[in-house]
Structures are given as C-alpha cells and as structure tokens.
Amino acid sequence: MTLLRFGPDALHVSRFAVSPLAETLSELTRLRQTRAGVLAGRLDEDPFVRGLVDLVTATKYLPDFVAIPPGRDLADELAAMRRIGDAEARATLVEAHRFAWASDGLAWADVTGITGRAADFLAECWTRFVEPDWTRRRAIMERDIHHRAGVIAVSGWRHALDGMAPDVEWAGHDAIRFSTQTYPDRHIGSDGLTFVPHTGMSGRWICETPTRIAFVYPAKGALADHSLGDAGVARLLGLGRARVVAEVRMPATPSQLAAVLGVSLGTVSAHLAALRAADVVTARRSGRAVYYELTPVGEELARLVTRH
C-alpha cells in the first residue's frame, strides 16, 4: 500500500484549499469518459492534445507537470507548470505511460515546449468548460471544506478522512493510507499536506513539488442527488423547498445553496425563512457566515423527499 507519512508537526500545519487546475483536470476526465463528443474537434486537430488527454485520463500516475499543488489562482498554477523543462516533462510522461491502461505511446510528446502547450490547452478547458460553472463548483467544494473543518474541530483529523475516497484511512498515528497499490510512500514535511476537493464523480491523486504535497479528492456532496423520491411530499412542500431540504442534508449558506441549485439568493432566502418557521431547518453562525442545517424534523422530511 502507499502511505502519506507525516513528519513532526506536519499535520498541525496541513490545510484545505481550492484549485482551479485540479478542477479542470477533474472536468477533463469527466468529459473524456462521458461526453467525448464535445472534445472531438479539438482532439482531431492536434495530435499533442489528443495524446495528452488520452494519457492523463487513463493512467494511475499523472504526469507531475499537470499535478501541480494549488496556487493563488489558475494563472499561478499554470505558471508553475510552464516553468518545468522538456527533459523533466518527458521523464514524467514516461512514468505516467508505465501506469496507463490505455495509451498509443508517446510519439505525440516529441515536441518543444511540452508544458507550455499543455498549459495553453488546460487554460482553454478552464475557459470553456469550468469557468462558466465555477460559482456552483466552488460552493460545493467550500461546503466540503467547511464540513471537514468542523469534524476536525470536534473529533480530530482522523475522522475528517471519513468518506474522502475509497481505501483512504489512517494507518497508525502518523500516516494516511492513500492507496492499496504499491507506490513509493510520500513524506509530508514542515509545509504540511494540502487537501484539495474537486467536484468530479470520482478520482484522487497526489500533486507534488520538492517542498509541497497536495492530496486531491472528490468533494462530499459533489454527487448530491437532487431528484425527489416521494412526489406527493415534494408537491405538498413545494418543489423549490423540497430541493432546499434535500440539499441542506449537508449544511450550507444561502449563497452556496443559490449557486448549487441555480436559483436567486432571494428565492433561497424565502424558502429558508419558511422552512425555519416550520422548524425544518435551523441557522448557526460560523465566523461571518450563517449556515443552515436540518433539525430532527427536517431530517425526517429529507428522508421522505429523497426516498426512491
């Protein structure tokens, strides 16, 4: 198995962060697996892009130059990618190819400026597929981070890993099991480990530089099922309020709910006010934000409206 081993005090400085680049990679994988047609023209016109996409969406070991720890923003992350030279990039492509379950070789990588071309393509994917939906995606990721931070405050880091990804769990007092596959262990130093959620259906990976390591994982709530099981209860409650009840199974702010559900903040606020008056939801302040969560009555109602 593969372990992430923490040095002295490394866990105390570990943190959560959002990464536009990780989210772009997640979306690229989803598109390749479920909606390949939207990429078809781009892949057909550029052998480099086709080879890169085929490799990064079908390997257990991402090339290091696309697995960049989170920066200030996408431009910062892509700048870090561009600083990696061709020789280093080719070496990590060879390693990624060793662990690929589907690839036609690396002839496409026999070009100059590998990381610059990769960064240009990922910037294009961000603009086309991720940025228009970034508000909703970020709301999902921030809710996951808030949830896990609350678990850490009450129960410690060990329980913050619950449901993070299959096979991910504590191994002893100073290590996290990252995978059941046998890869080299990673040693977490004084910069700690950065946990990075993404909104994809699945997938986890390590991002690494000489001094920083990040662990990317699927956000809790990314697969939230907004379909409503008991149509009668949903009609009685009202479709809008029923969707809010289903979504607040994981605590959220009004603005996060508006982003995730695709409605106005005013609409969400009105639904929350009615649900709070009926003792279905309750509000609590966390810093400057107000989070809504289900009461015991709300939990019973949520089970009805989400039952299939």
Side-chain angles (χ1 to χ4, degrees), residues 173-203:
H173 69 283
D174 64 349
I176 294 173
R177 184 178 72 180
F178 166 70
S179 172
T180 56
Q181 301 291 320
T182 303
Y183 303 125
D185 291 349
R186 301 299 200 278
H187 295 272
I188 313 302
S190 59
D191 288 330
L193 180 65
T194 304
F195 292 89
V196 181
H198 70 87
T199 68
M201 294 178 287
S202 62

Side-chain angles (χ1 to χ4, degrees), residues 35-45 50:
R35 295 179 59 207
V38 303
L39 291 171
R42 190 69 177 87
L43 300 184
D44 289 341
E45 70 185 23
R50 174 177 287 278

Side-chain angles (χ1 to χ4, degrees), residues 15-17 21 37 43 47-48 59 83 104 115 124 136 143 157 188-189 199 218 237 285:
R15 62 188 182 91
F16 290 88
L21 178 57
L43 300 184
F48 175 86
T59 182
R83 286 194 291 270
D104 291 329
T115 59
E124 177 186 331
R136 182 189 67 86
R143 289 173 65 196
W157 273 99
I188 313 302
T199 68
L237 188 61
R285 182 169 293 278

Side-chain angles (χ1 to χ4, degrees), residues 97-112:
H97 185 259
R98 282 206 313 123
F99 291 95
W101 58 84
S103 177
D104 291 329
L106 295 174
W108 55 270
D110 188 19
V111 298
T112 300

